[in-house]
Amino acid sequence: SAAAYKGCPDHWTAIGDKCFRTFDEETEWREAEYSCREHGLDSHLASINSLEEQEFLEAQLVNRECNNQTDAWIGLNCERRDRLFEWSNGDDVRYTNWAPGEPNHQNNGENCVKAHYEED
Ligand SMILES: [Ca+2]
């Protein structure tokens, strides 16, 4: 549980046995992934494996309200294998919550996934 886990550094939030942090830089997916790795905590763009993790990340997006930005890169991508999505941290893809109509590989040019929040 989050209460039992005490290993997150400052500015990171524990959800279950993982630590999450959001960053405001606007950048390409690959750069965002590399930037996460540079934190040296075996960190990657976030993988989302449960509704609890999704709701936490949604709350982060809502709280930011930065230039009305409610999108954030997550680790899901198919950069390596065409049209087979995988998490950049190696987690098995066992939880997804695609927006209606996604993934649609628009213009054959979409290899990476953004979390997106919209008010109901
Ligand atoms: Ca799309």
Side-chain angles (χ1 to χ4, degrees):
S1 72
Y5 188 71
K6 49 191 184 292
C8 290
D10 287 350
H11 310 297
W12 295 73
T13 302
I15 299 294
D17 60 356
K18 294 157 73 175
C19 302
F20 290 94
R21 183 174 173 182
T22 52
F23 296 89
D24 280 335
E25 293 91 23
E26 193 171 328
T27 186
E28 306 270 317
W29 185 89
R30 276 176 202 236
E31 288 177 35
E33 169 68 14
Y34 289 142
S35 173
C36 287
R37 293 186 193 186
E38 283 172 357
H39 284 273
L41 306 164
D42 195 24
S43 45
H44 293 268
L45 284 171
S47 66
I48 304 173
N49 295 321
S50 66
L51 184 59
E52 181 191 20
E53 292 180 353
Q54 181 192 327
E55 287 177 343
F56 169 77
L57 290 168
E58 279 181 358
Q60 301 297 301
L61 295 179
V62 174
N63 289 339
R64 279 164 54 196
E65 288 182 9
C66 177
N67 302 318
N68 294 319
Q69 267 293 355
T70 52
D71 290 340
W73 291 124
I74 58 174
L76 199 61
N77 73 93
C78 57
E79 293 268 281
R80 195 168 66 94
R81 292 186 296 171
D82 198 32
R83 306 203 168 205
L84 271 178
F85 283 95
E86 52 192 5
W87 292 111
S88 59
N89 68 354
D91 281 355
D92 291 333
V93 179
R94 54 183 183 267
Y95 176 90
T96 58
N97 191 349
W98 293 104
E102 299 286 354
N104 59 2
H105 293 285
Q106 195 161 35
N107 302 324
N108 253 352
E110 296 183 310
N111 291 340
C112 315
V113 180
K114 273 179 175 170
H116 177 71
Y117 174 81
E118 269 174 38
E119 284 192 75
D120 292 329

